[in-house]
């Protein structure tokens, strides 16, 4: 319901109406259900105060059904100013609205919405006009009833919230033909919130599920066509089938509370056979062991090539001379036919490997499993296939029920020439640096050739490469322990100790690999690049191309090697998404009028739990220094300069259209003008701006802290005394407050205002809260390595603004490109967005920051494209050419990154 209200605001905007719904975000943008409800209440308050445009009123929400789902939807709806209308009075409501409009009062705004709950007697009527509706009779004999919803209810509905249970034997709530008829008659239906998610079910034209990050499609009944995007004719439809995951905490608590009533009895059952049959069959583990029906789980797990406990030599030794792919479909898991199939395979001594499987989500759905079986004797494989065919034969005992039918498909046999050793192509990549970014890159590369990589590489990389290639990764670090922690648990990954400044040692490792990925600080890249040139090896980095790297371009070309740089997030993914939009616009004859780009690494909203709304997963010093760099950009043809000392104060509030719930601000990011030349838009774009994203209020607080002197790199007298000062004495000295003064947030706020360090009292209070939060009133001694105020502040930030527990970070990258077209064609606004959250786990090696993922994976993709010979260009490159960014973006999306493009 929340998601649909959010989309309703966007839809009305596309139709020319501005409504309070536009300020509502999607559910996943709120850290709790309570926060989401508060946002809906805020929308309701605006409706009650400002009203809704008369052109969309009366705004009527029709709820189908009266069960738990309908109750939950209405719980959110009732947070708005509302009135419920009996289904029989809907015509009267519309007549009243019609009278108002005919009286010339169309400018009057309506300050409430209307709800209408309909049940089965409002949806159907007996075909025999002499009979009255009988609910029990309808459930028993639905064929004796005809649908009336499209006649009595739908013509008056603005939104249909579909919450009812439906089976095929019942009439549909709304058919495609009925909607087409309603559209011809000018009905006011704007959209469908199909919470039931019955595809092709009670609402016939809902033919697909939607996704949390893309919850709507648009159906145009006039043309019988489906579209993405809010612009255009038709009704918007939402059918997200995993809605509980948007409020995972509340959903888990609710389901857990219900299940907990039964867990005690089940857990204390000593004898499995005493449980009722349906519970006995559902019992997966008893007495610390898997029950017999579920023994397929370890058997299938142990066959998986990605099991970290199996090392590469063992896997290679198991490759058989003859292999084939078999597909099993049917009720494999709910009827446990998979156990019988595995018994046949294992009894024959044939090896097998699980390639993929899909478990049916209901007792009516089929499951699917794909296995690769292999043997040195082809006759043995034939025997196994015959036995599986017998299992699948309907004439056998296994089909006493329709649910026990098993279908078998056999692929082509493959013969491996093991003697030649050419069936597997081994590639090797050296990764220099063992920081947070390294592990995602190593895992990505070593997964190539596995079943999981097939899913996201199939459309991007040639089959023969992914099937016959094994990528080994060498993780190198100055400290062996760091490299070992990265490589631990990753098949095909080896840890080594390496000093990158030792040219001989560096060359020894580079000589045995195909590609080098340098995740070291930029100052090391020239040394690494020199070794790569010497040995004619390719190089990938995520760092900016500096002068020293640029000078190597001609040498790299003459050596026939590729140095792919800026292959991370920013720079990296930002280049790719920008150039895709810009080049596509240029191909269509368009000119870029404005290019605006925002990017920020932030705490997720629920982790932004400190006054400054920011946290560090690395040393704060670099981030603070970056915030003091000058900036240059172009705005409506005028060049703007921002002095580094005033950068924090230049932060401007920002509401991104796709993330209205995020209260953000942006700071100009260094020299935006260079991107005009880089992207080929310098002579046409009147606006070129790149900004760094922070939560609202960050710049004001940081600017005030700077004026207090907390970022000064000059030696501070109080820190040079033999007696080490405390944080409190240091702070009092900066604010010129007497040591014996009672001091707290209020006193600091007053002092900041008295000194004229900021103009807004609200900012002074936020800054005071930040000072207290950072522990600057503590009586603990300042460490001796802190020689200036900048050192003290960074040290305190590193201690107090760190991620803890399972807190997540967030990466948000957003481009906005305005394009003008010739010949009077309308201008277009293009938006491209990446939103990624960190992935946390109790197991350290399986937890990744969003920053590590969005930097490490692109770097690994760069190496993959070079290995697969998808990049033919040589020299020093950036991912701004189609041969790089097109396959790279495809792989990023297939891998799971959410890259969303919209055109208005």
């Amino acid at each position: 319901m929340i998601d649909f209200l959010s989309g309703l605001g966007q839809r009305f905007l596309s139709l020319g109406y501005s409504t309070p719904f536009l300020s509502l975000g999607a559910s996943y943008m709120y850290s709790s259900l309570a926060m989401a409800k508060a946002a809906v209440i805020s929308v309701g308050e605006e409706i009650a105060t400002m009203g809704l445009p008369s052109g969309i009123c009366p705004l009527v929400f029709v709820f189908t059904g009266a069960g738990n789902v309908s109750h939950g939807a209405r719980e959110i709806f009732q947070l708005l100013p509302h009135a419920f209308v009996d289904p029989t009075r809907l015509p009267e409501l519309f007549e009243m609205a019609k009278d108002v409009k005919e009286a010339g009062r169309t400018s009057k705004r309506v300050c409430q919405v209307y709800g209408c709950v309909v049940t089965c007697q409002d949806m159907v009527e007996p075909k025999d006009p002499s009979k009255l509706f009988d609910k029990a009779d309808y459930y028993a004999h639905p064929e004796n009833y005809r649908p009336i919803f499209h006649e009595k209810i739908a013509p008056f509905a603005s939104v249909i919230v579909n919450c009812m249970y439906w089976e095929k034997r019942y009439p549909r709530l709304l058919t495609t033909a009925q909607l087409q008829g309603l559209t011809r008659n000018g009905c006011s239906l704007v959209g469908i919130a199909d919470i039931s998610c019955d595809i092709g079910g009670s609402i016939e034209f809902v033919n697909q599920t939607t996704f949390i990050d893309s919850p709507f499609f648009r159906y145009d009944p006039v043309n019988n066509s489906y579209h993405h995007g809010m612009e255009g004719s038709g009704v918007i439809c939402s059918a997200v089938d995993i809605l509980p995951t948007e409020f995972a905490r509340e959903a888990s608590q609710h389901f857990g509370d219900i299940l907990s009533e039964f867990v005690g009895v089940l857990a204390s059952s000593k004898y499995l056979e005493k449980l009722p049959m349906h519970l006995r069959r559902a019992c997966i583990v008893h007495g610390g062991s898997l029950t017999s029906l579920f023994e397929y789980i370890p058997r299938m797990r142990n066959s998986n090539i990605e099991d970290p406990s199996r090392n590469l030599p063992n896997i290679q030794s198991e490759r058989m001379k003859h292999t084939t792919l078999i597909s099993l479909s049917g009720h494999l898991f709910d009827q446990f036919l998979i156990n019988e199939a595995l018994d046949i395979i294992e009894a024959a001594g044939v090896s097998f490997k699980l390639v993929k499987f899909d478990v049916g989500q209901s007792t009516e759905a089929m499951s699917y499993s794909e296995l690769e079986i292999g043997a040195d004797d082809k006759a043995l494989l034939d025997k196994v296939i015959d036995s599986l065919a017998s299992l699948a034969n309907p004439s056998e005992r296994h089909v006493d029920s329709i649910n026990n039918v098993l279908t078998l498909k056999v692929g082509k046999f493959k013969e491996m020439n093991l003697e030649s050793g050419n069936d597997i192509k081994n590639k090797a990549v050296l990764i220099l640096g063992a920081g947070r970014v390294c592990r995602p890159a190593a895992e990505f590369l070593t997964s190539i050739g596995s079943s999981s990589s097939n899913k996201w590489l199939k459309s991007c990389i040639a089959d023969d490469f992914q099937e016959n290639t094994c990528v080994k990764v060498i993780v190198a670090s100055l400290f062996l322990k760091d490299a070992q922690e990265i490589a631990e648990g990753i098949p095909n990954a080896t840890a080594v100790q390496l000093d990158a400044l030792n040219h001989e040692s560096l060359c020894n490792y580079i000589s045995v690999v195909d590609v080098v990925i340098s995740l070291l600080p930029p100052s090391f890249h020239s040394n690494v690049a020199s070794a790569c040139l010497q040995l004619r090896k390719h190089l990938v980095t995520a760092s900016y191309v500096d002068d020293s790297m640029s000078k190597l371009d001609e040498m790299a070309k003459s050596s026939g090697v590729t140095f792919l740089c800026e292959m991370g997030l920013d720079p990296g993914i930002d280049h790719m998404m920008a150039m895709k939009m810009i080049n596509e616009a240029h191909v269509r004859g368009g000119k870029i009028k404005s290019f605006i780009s925002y990017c920020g690494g932030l705490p997720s909203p629920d982790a932004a739990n400190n006054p400054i709304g920011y946290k560090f997963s690395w040393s704060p010093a670099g981030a603070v220094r970056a915030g003091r760099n000058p900036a240059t950009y172009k705005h409506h043809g005028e060049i703007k300069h921002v002095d580094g000392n005033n950068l924090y104060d230049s932060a401007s509030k920002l509401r991104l259209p796709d993330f209205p719930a995020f209260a953000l601000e942006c700071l100009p990011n260094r020299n935006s003008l260079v991107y005009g030349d880089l992207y080929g838009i310098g002579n046409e774009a009147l606006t070129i701006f790149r900004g760094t994203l922070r939560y609202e209020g960050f710049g004001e607080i940081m600017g005030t802290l700077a004026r207090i002197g907390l970022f000064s790199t000059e030696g501070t007298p109080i820190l040079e005394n033999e007696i080490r000062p405390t944080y409190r004495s240091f702070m009092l000295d900066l604010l010129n407050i007497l040591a014996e003064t009672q001091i707290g947030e209020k006193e600091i706020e007053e002092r900041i205002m008295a000194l004229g360090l900021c103009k807004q009292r609200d900012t002074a209070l936020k800054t005071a809260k930040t000072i207290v939060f950072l522990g600057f009133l503590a009586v603990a001694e300042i460490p001796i390595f802190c020689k200036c105020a900048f050192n003290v502040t960074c040290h305190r930030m590193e201690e107090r603004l760190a991620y803890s527990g399972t807190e997540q970070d967030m990466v948000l990258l957003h481009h906005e490109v305005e394009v003008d077209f010739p010949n009077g064609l309308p201008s277009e606004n293009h938006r491209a967005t990446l939103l990624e959250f960190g992935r946390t786990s109790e197991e350290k090696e399986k937890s990744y920051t969003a920053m590590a993922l969005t930097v490490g994976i692109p770097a690994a993709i760069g190496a993959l494209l070079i290995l697969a010979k998808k990049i033919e260009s040589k020299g020093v490159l950036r991912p701004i050419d189609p041969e790089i960014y097109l396959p790279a973006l495809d792989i990023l999306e297939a891998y799971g990154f959410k890259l969303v493009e919209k055109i208005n």
Side-chain angles (χ1 to χ4, degrees):
M1 192 67 197
I2 295 167
D3 288 356
F4 190 84
L5 292 176
S6 173
L8 192 61
Q10 299 172 45
R11 178 56 175 162
F12 277 139
L13 187 64
S14 74
L15 297 174
Y17 299 101
S18 178
T19 66
F21 299 117
L22 199 59
S23 66
L24 189 63
S27 297
Y28 70 84
M29 297 179 181
Y30 302 101
S31 60
S32 67
L33 179 58
M35 286 188 65
K37 284 184 174 181
V40 177
I41 291 170
S42 178
V43 169
E45 290 173 348
E46 192 172 349
I47 292 174
T49 305
M50 305 298 295
L52 295 167
S54 60
I56 65 173
C57 294
L59 188 57
V60 178
F61 291 75
V62 171
F63 298 86
T64 64
N68 284 336
V69 176
S70 177
H71 178 80
R74 281 180 276 141
E75 181 181 325
I76 299 301
F77 171 79
Q78 288 167 208
L79 299 175
L80 305 173
H82 67 279
F84 277 100
V85 180
D86 188 89
T88 60
R89 299 193 62 188
L90 285 174
E92 179 183 335
L93 176 66
F94 272 73
E95 281 300 319
M96 291 170 57
K98 182 179 177 184
D99 292 342
V100 170
K101 291 179 181 179
E102 289 178 352
R105 289 181 285 168
T106 55
S107 62
K108 181 177 176 61
R109 296 175 73 88
V110 180
C111 296
Q112 67 176 356
V113 294
Y114 296 90
C116 178
V117 181
V118 298
T119 53
C120 49
Q121 64 261 39
D122 305 303
M123 305 174 194
V124 296
E125 67 179 12
K127 291 179 179 178
D128 185 346
S130 65
K131 292 185 176 181
L132 297 175
F133 177 83
D134 184 289
K135 185 175 180 180
D137 181 63
Y138 170 58
Y139 285 159
H141 302 287
E143 67 278 2
N144 295 332
Y145 291 77
R146 78 173 193 90
I148 59 170
F149 179 84
H150 65 292
E151 299 170 352
K152 306 286 188 182
I153 307 295
F156 310 104
S158 308
V159 176
I160 297 174
V161 185
N162 192 26
C163 311
M164 70 178 196
Y165 174 76
W166 182 82
E167 293 179 4
K168 290 182 179 179
R169 60 197 187 97
Y170 297 114
R172 282 192 166 95
L173 182 71
L174 197 59
T175 67
T176 303
Q178 289 167 355
L179 178 64
Q180 290 169 342
L182 288 166
T183 303
R184 285 193 294 270
N185 294 330
C187 78
S188 57
L189 185 63
V190 179
I192 308 286
D194 193 355
I195 304 175
S196 68
C197 292
D198 289 329
I199 304 308
S202 59
I203 298 179
E204 185 179 21
F205 50 88
V206 175
N207 71 341
Q208 57 192 280
T209 56
T210 56
F211 305 94
I212 289 172
D213 57 337
S214 181
F216 292 94
F217 67 86
R218 179 170 47 83
Y219 173 66
D220 185 349
V222 175
N223 300 315
N224 192 27
S225 57
Y226 291 85
H227 309 272
H228 291 286
M230 293 291 179
E231 300 286 344
S233 302
V235 296
I236 59 170
C237 304
S238 176
V240 180
D241 58 0
I242 53 170
L243 285 170
T245 62
E246 295 201 59
F247 290 122
R249 186 181 305 160
E250 286 84 351
S252 299
Q253 183 68 51
H254 174 72
F255 294 135
D257 288 344
I258 295 171
L259 287 172
S260 63
E261 298 179 20
F262 304 94
V263 169
V265 176
L266 290 175
S268 60
S269 299
K270 293 183 179 180
Y271 303 103
L272 195 61
E273 59 275 8
K274 290 186 178 180
L275 289 174
M277 176 56 73
H278 59 282
L279 291 180
R280 189 157 69 245
R281 285 174 60 83
C283 189
I284 301 174
V285 173
H286 185 261
S289 302
L290 287 165
T291 57
S292 59
L293 291 176
F294 292 90
E295 62 179 6
Y296 68 84
I297 294 175
R299 296 161 80 180
M300 296 179 82
R301 269 187 179 162
N302 291 337
S303 77
N304 194 341
I305 195 170
E306 295 178 6
D307 185 345
S309 64
R310 303 175 58 169
N311 53 42
L312 182 64
N314 289 339
I315 293 171
Q316 287 183 325
S317 68
E318 289 172 10
R319 296 185 64 84
M320 300 295 180
K321 189 173 182 181
H322 303 279
T323 61
T324 189
L325 213 58
I326 60 169
S327 302
L328 301 169
S329 59
H331 289 269
L332 300 175
F333 301 101
D334 53 337
Q335 296 298 322
F336 303 103
L337 295 174
I338 190 67
N339 283 323
E340 297 184 57
L342 296 182
D343 285 343
I344 291 171
I345 295 171
E346 291 178 338
V350 170
S351 69
F352 74 93
K353 180 179 73 177
L354 177 65
V355 177
K356 61 182 175 181
F357 69 93
D358 183 30
V359 180
Q361 298 301 300
S362 71
T363 55
E364 289 147 8
M366 295 288 193
S367 297
Y368 175 83
S369 182
E370 198 171 279
L371 303 170
E372 182 183 272
I373 60 174
D376 290 329
D377 184 356
K378 186 173 179 295
L380 190 59
L381 281 186
D382 290 334
K383 182 179 178 181
V384 168
I385 291 169
D386 288 342
S387 298
L388 290 173
S390 175
L391 180 64
N393 191 334
S395 65
E396 298 294 323
R397 62 175 178 85
H398 302 287
V399 290
D400 55 346
S401 160
I402 190 67
N403 287 337
N404 279 356
V405 172
L406 183 70
T407 302
L408 169 70
K409 290 184 180 180
V410 182
K412 293 182 179 180
F413 280 94
K414 294 181 181 179
E415 292 193 26
M416 297 295 182
N417 184 2
L418 297 180
E419 288 76 17
S420 68
N422 291 329
D423 54 289
I424 290 289
K425 298 175 184 176
N426 287 315
K427 299 288 185 180
V429 176
L430 173 65
I431 301 181
L432 299 172
R436 290 180 175 88
V437 173
C438 182
R439 189 173 178 94
E443 285 189 340
F444 177 96
L445 289 168
T446 56
S447 71
I448 294 168
S450 69
S451 58
S452 65
S453 71
N454 293 341
K455 299 174 185 176
W456 43 265
L457 280 182
K458 193 168 186 180
S459 61
C460 315
I461 302 295
D463 286 343
D464 60 342
F465 178 86
Q466 63 188 56
E467 289 181 2
N468 300 322
T469 302
C470 172
V471 178
K472 296 181 179 179
V473 169
I474 300 172
V475 179
S477 174
L478 182 62
F479 302 102
L480 180 60
K481 183 181 177 182
D482 293 343
Q484 289 173 333
E485 286 181 358
I486 295 295
E488 185 179 359
I490 303 180
N492 298 352
T494 305
V496 300
Q497 186 173 13
L498 174 63
D499 181 356
L501 295 178
N502 185 323
H503 187 73
E504 182 180 356
S505 180
L506 181 63
C507 287
N508 287 339
Y509 282 107
I510 291 178
S511 66
V512 298
V513 301
D514 301 279
V515 179
V516 178
I517 298 177
S518 178
L519 301 177
L520 297 170
S523 58
F524 286 81
H525 292 337
S526 58
N527 191 50
V528 175
S530 298
C532 288
L533 279 174
Q534 178 182 334
L535 298 166
R536 301 196 175 207
K537 300 293 183 177
H538 306 290
L539 172 65
V540 178
T541 81
S543 302
Y544 285 103
V545 174
D546 58 14
D547 290 340
S548 62
M549 186 64 74
S550 296
K551 292 175 182 177
L552 300 177
D553 182 48
E554 289 302 323
M555 295 176 65
K557 287 177 180 176
S558 61
S559 298
V561 295
T562 299
F563 285 0
L564 179 55
C565 305
E566 302 187 10
M567 199 67 184
L569 167 66
D570 178 3
I573 300 178
D574 60 338
H575 289 329
M576 297 185 246
M577 295 175 70
M579 289 308 299
K580 182 174 184 291
M581 289 193 294
I582 291 169
N583 284 343
E584 287 176 352
H586 282 164
V587 167
R588 294 167 56 204
K591 288 190 175 181
I592 308 303
K593 181 179 178 182
S594 171
F595 173 80
I596 299 175
S597 174
Y598 308 107
C599 187
L602 300 162
S604 62
D606 57 340
N609 48 14
N610 59 64
I612 207 169
Y614 194 74
K615 290 190 175 181
F616 299 92
S617 55
W618 56 86
S619 173
V624 173
R625 288 193 184 100
R628 308 302 301 278
N629 288 318
T632 304
Y633 60 94
K634 187 195 292 188
H635 181 67
H636 296 310
E638 183 181 352
I639 305 300
K640 304 276 189 177
H641 298 283
V642 180
D643 183 83
N645 293 324
N646 301 320
L647 189 72
Y648 286 131
D649 297 312
S650 69
S652 56
K653 294 182 180 180
L654 184 67
R655 287 293 188 276
L656 296 180
D658 298 322
F659 304 97
F662 289 176
L664 300 169
E665 65 182 29
C666 72
L667 294 87
N669 188 357
R670 302 197 184 190
N671 187 2
S672 299
L673 301 184
V674 298
Y675 290 85
D677 296 331
L678 186 64
Y679 294 164
I681 60 174
N683 294 327
E684 59 189 272
L686 297 177
T687 296
I688 302 176
F689 178 87
R690 282 170 48 91
T692 300
L693 291 176
R694 293 291 182 262
Y695 286 118
E696 195 174 287
F698 176 88
E700 294 175 339
I701 296 172
M702 293 291 280
T704 307
L705 292 177
R707 283 186 288 275
I708 290 172
L710 282 170
F711 297 141
S712 172
T713 55
E714 300 295 327
T716 307
I718 193 172
L719 295 175
E720 297 170 357
N721 295 337
E722 291 184 7
I723 301 175
R724 296 304 298 170
T726 65
Y727 290 105
R728 186 177 186 276
S729 63
F730 169 73
M731 195 71 243
L732 296 181
D733 184 64
L734 285 179
L735 291 173
N736 195 19
I737 298 175
L738 296 176
E740 59 270 14
T741 304
Q742 184 67 32
I743 186 170
E745 288 179 6
K746 188 64 179 174
E747 289 74 22
I748 296 175
E749 173 196 348
E750 293 295 340
R751 190 60 183 159
I752 290 173
M753 292 297 295
L755 292 173
L757 298 173
C758 72
K759 297 178 181 179
Q760 301 295 328
R761 184 165 291 276
D762 180 57
T763 301
L765 177 59
K766 291 177 181 176
T767 306
K769 288 180 179 294
T770 302
I771 288 171
V772 173
F773 181 84
L774 291 175
F776 277 111
L777 298 185
V779 294
E781 282 190 7
I782 295 175
I784 196 168
F785 58 79
C786 293
K787 303 296 185 182
C788 62
F790 177 80
N791 297 152
V792 177
T793 304
C794 289
H795 176 65
R796 220 55 180 151
M797 285 182 165
E798 188 169 2
E799 288 184 332
R800 297 300 179 95
L801 298 179
Y803 289 91
S804 61
T806 57
E807 288 182 337
Q808 298 174 322
D809 71 328
M810 176 182 83
V811 163
L812 177 55
L813 169 62
H814 182 79
H815 293 323
E816 295 183 5
V817 178
E818 189 175 345
V819 186
D820 284 344
F821 290 95
N823 304 321
L825 293 174
S827 299
E828 292 180 352
N829 289 310
H830 295 238
R831 303 200 304 269
T833 304
L834 163 70
L835 177 63
E836 187 69 24
F837 290 90
R839 303 172 189 176
T840 59
S841 171
E842 292 181 2
E843 300 177 62
K844 177 184 175 183
E845 66 275 7
K846 293 184 179 180
S847 296
Y848 305 107
T849 65
M851 189 63 69
L853 288 167
T854 52
V855 175
I857 297 301
I861 290 173
L864 169 62
L865 294 177
I866 293 172
L867 291 174
K869 299 182 179 178
K870 299 288 284 187
I871 300 175
E872 296 182 359
S873 301
K874 309 302 177 187
V876 177
L877 309 178
R878 297 177 175 93
I880 58 175
D881 295 314
E883 72 165 343
I884 303 172
Y885 69 71
L886 287 178
L889 287 173
D890 286 343
I891 296 174
L892 283 169
E893 286 198 88
Y895 185 77
F897 286 98
K898 300 175 181 64
L899 309 176
V900 180
E901 291 188 30
K902 297 181 180 179
I903 300 177
N904 295 324

